[in-house]
Amino acid sequence: MRVDKFLKNSRIIKRRQVAKEACENERVKINDKIAKPGSEVEIGDIIEITFGKSVLKAKVLSLIEGAKKNNAESMYEVIDGE
């Protein structure tokens, strides 16, 4: 799954366009490498997102295509931040 789609489906970032812009501005990393919007995310990857001065670090637990609000949080586990 593309990282911008994962961030939107998991509700870490509310809109895909915002997720895409975060990637383009080098504020998203996958396993310590800067991610482009089309970078693929796999189960077990560590995603790091910079929101201003705070950083959210999360582990990918599942990839759900049409995630609903109630199961979106099961897609990741927060390691650091928020």
Side-chain angles (χ1 to χ4, degrees):
M1 179 181 287
R2 291 170 54 112
V3 69
D4 59 346
K5 187 172 184 179
F6 175 82
L7 292 172
K8 186 239 180 231
N9 285 357
S10 64
R11 306 285 200 285
I12 292 173
I13 296 179
K14 303 294 184 225
R15 295 193 332 260
R16 190 160 176 184
Q17 183 63 34
V18 176
K20 182 179 177 220
E21 289 169 6
C23 293
E24 289 171 346
N25 293 325
E26 300 184 349
R27 294 192 325 239
V28 178
K29 293 181 182 179
I30 302 173
N31 300 325
D32 292 324
K33 294 180 183 157
I34 293 173
K36 294 184 171 144
S39 297
E40 291 293 317
V41 174
E42 297 178 6
I43 294 171
D45 284 349
I46 304 296
I47 298 178
E48 196 174 305
I49 308 112
T50 304
F51 298 101
K53 292 182 180 177
S54 65
V55 176
L56 171 68
K57 203 170 189 181
K59 181 176 183 177
V60 178
L61 300 179
S62 65
L63 304 173
I64 303 170
E65 279 297 323
K68 303 288 182 225
K69 191 173 185 178
N70 57 356
N71 63 359
E73 284 190 13
S74 68
M75 293 177 68
Y76 66 95
E77 170 187 30
V78 175
I79 298 169
D80 278 329
E82 222 174 315

